[in-house]
């Protein structure tokens, strides 16, 4: 007679213990166990799976089970995250895009997400964007529109249901995008091409998928698109924090002396604004 027990713990996907007791054999004549590691799709934590096969009496089985539970409660999990700066660092033609992800602090936000797609543009496309001299705050809005809050690898892009999908972006998540302007339309068009277009682009789809840079299913996908996504909302001039706003905040939090010093010294105030951009 065989009995099988399944125990589910946060550390484990499944711990299976199978026993084959014999009424004629004691102490045990067979004892073995196997340890293996597996990683479920979409999870950043690698699961530890143990299987145990033995021939023991009831008390011995209970002792082994309790010992295993203690071992599992003290085990270390194996975590595999992603680092967008490291991924793009392997592709020099995306160094400007990578630099501004760091400068705008979007890199950290991307790394904190479990499921994400980054639509990167090369240095030539970034040069065209920077030629318009947008503020750092505006660049952050534009680049955050290029971060989709879902996983879109090459295979999924070419197998979009009904040919089109609407993806929320990090720009939408900030609350700065009115209505649905922070969403991106992804359409599988004729000729096997995949086109992208922000919702506030009046249905124009003139940005196309170029290639995949790196994919970790279903954790992060980094793909190249042909140019910067055009969005009047994201590209709208975003004012930098004013000196008065900064000093008001300082005064409200018990820093009136320092705030007064900034107001009395315009040069110091300008320096402080630059540092905090």
């Amino acid at each position: 007679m065989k009995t099988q027990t399944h125990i589910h713990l946060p550390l484990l996907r499944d711990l299976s213990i199978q026993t084959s007791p014999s009424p004629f054999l004691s102490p045990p004549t067979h004892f073995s166990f196997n340890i293996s590691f597996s990683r479920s799709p979409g999870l950043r934590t690698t699961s530890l799976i143990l299987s145990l096969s033995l021939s023991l009496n009831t008390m011995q089985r209970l002792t082994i089970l309790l010992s295993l539970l203690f071992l599992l409660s003290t085990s270390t999990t194996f975590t595999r995250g992603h680092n967008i700066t490291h991924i793009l660092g392997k592709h020099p033609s995306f160094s400007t895009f990578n630099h501004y992800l760091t400068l705008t602090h979007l890199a950290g936000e991307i790394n904190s997400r479990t499921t994400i797609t980054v639509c990167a543009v090369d240095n030539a496309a970034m040069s065209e964007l920077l030629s318009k001299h947008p503020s750092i705050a505006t660049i952050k809005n534009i680049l955050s529109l290029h971060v989709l809050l879902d996983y879109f690898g090459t295979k999924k892009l070419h197998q979009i249901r009904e040919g089109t999908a609407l993806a929320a972006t990090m720009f939408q998540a900030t609350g700065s995008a009115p209505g649905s302007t922070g969403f991106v339309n992804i359409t599988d068009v004729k000729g096997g091409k995949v086109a992208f277009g922000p919702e506030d682009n009046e249905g124009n789809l003139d940005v196309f998928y170029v290639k995949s840079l790196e994919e970790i299913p279903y954790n992060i996908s980094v793909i190249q698109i042909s140019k910067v996504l055009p969005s009047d909302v994201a590209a709208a001039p975003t004012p930098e924090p004013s000196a008065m706003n900064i000093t008001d905040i300082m005064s409200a939090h018990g820093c009136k002396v320092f705030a007064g010093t900034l107001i009395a010294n315009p040069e110091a105030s300008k320096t402080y604004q630059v540092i905090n951009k």
Side-chain angles (χ1 to χ4, degrees):
M1 174 180 174
K2 291 186 178 182
T3 61
Q4 185 166 328
T5 304
H6 294 278
I7 301 172
H8 297 276
L9 296 173
L11 178 64
L12 297 177
R13 186 175 63 186
D14 184 28
L15 166 64
S16 177
I17 300 178
Q18 181 174 309
T19 63
S20 303
S22 170
F24 307 106
L25 298 175
S26 183
T29 58
H30 177 67
F31 178 90
S32 66
F33 67 91
N34 297 310
I35 300 176
S36 61
F37 301 94
S38 70
R39 184 173 180 273
S40 300
L43 297 180
R44 297 179 68 184
T45 302
T46 300
S47 299
L48 171 64
I49 305 173
L50 294 95
S51 61
L52 178 67
S53 177
L54 54 148
S55 298
L56 300 170
N57 60 38
T58 302
M59 183 58 70
Q60 289 171 321
R61 293 202 304 272
L62 179 60
T63 301
I64 293 295
L65 176 60
L66 292 176
S67 299
L68 281 173
L69 290 176
F70 176 78
L71 171 65
L72 296 172
S73 67
T74 57
S75 297
T76 302
T77 59
F78 297 84
T79 302
R80 183 185 181 187
H82 55 255
N83 187 316
I84 185 60
T85 303
H86 176 72
I87 292 173
L88 289 174
K90 294 182 286 185
H91 305 274
S93 58
F94 295 87
S95 59
T96 305
F97 184 85
N98 196 13
H99 169 72
Y100 278 94
L101 286 184
T102 300
L103 195 62
T104 58
H105 303 291
L106 281 172
E109 296 178 35
I110 291 169
N111 293 341
S112 69
R113 296 274 182 167
T114 301
T115 304
I116 208 85
T117 299
V118 179
C119 302
V121 295
D122 61 19
N123 293 343
M126 283 298 296
S127 294
E128 184 178 349
L129 169 63
L130 297 175
S131 67
K132 301 173 184 177
H133 307 290
S135 67
I136 292 297
T138 298
I139 293 175
K140 182 173 184 177
N141 286 342
I142 294 172
L143 296 190
S144 64
L145 189 66
H146 291 66
V147 183
L148 312 181
L149 303 182
D150 198 355
Y151 180 86
F152 288 93
T154 302
K155 184 177 180 180
K156 184 176 179 180
L157 286 173
H158 290 286
Q159 295 179 346
I160 296 175
R161 287 184 179 180
E162 299 179 358
T164 186
L166 196 62
T169 69
M170 195 168 281
F171 183 45
Q172 182 72 24
T174 64
S176 301
S180 61
T181 56
F183 285 82
V184 169
N185 184 305
I186 308 172
T187 301
D188 193 354
V189 296
K190 294 180 180 180
K193 291 184 177 181
V194 179
F196 296 77
E199 275 294 276
D200 64 330
N201 197 32
E202 299 179 351
N204 294 325
L205 298 173
D206 58 352
V207 179
F208 298 96
Y209 166 79
V210 178
K211 64 182 179 182
S212 174
L213 300 180
E214 185 158 336
E215 297 179 15
I216 306 176
Y218 295 84
N219 187 281
I220 185 172
S221 173
V222 184
I223 62 176
Q224 179 187 0
I225 57 176
S226 58
K227 64 180 182 178
V228 173
L229 292 169
S231 169
D232 292 338
V233 175
T238 303
E240 302 292 348
S242 67
M244 183 57 69
N245 288 339
I246 293 173
T247 53
D248 284 347
I249 293 172
M250 289 180 175
S251 297
H253 289 80
C255 300
K256 291 182 178 180
V257 175
F258 187 68
T261 302
L262 286 180
I263 294 173
N265 192 329
E267 290 302 319
S269 181
K270 289 180 181 179
T271 301
Y272 191 81
Q273 290 180 59
V274 171
I275 292 174
N276 282 273
K277 284 185 179 181

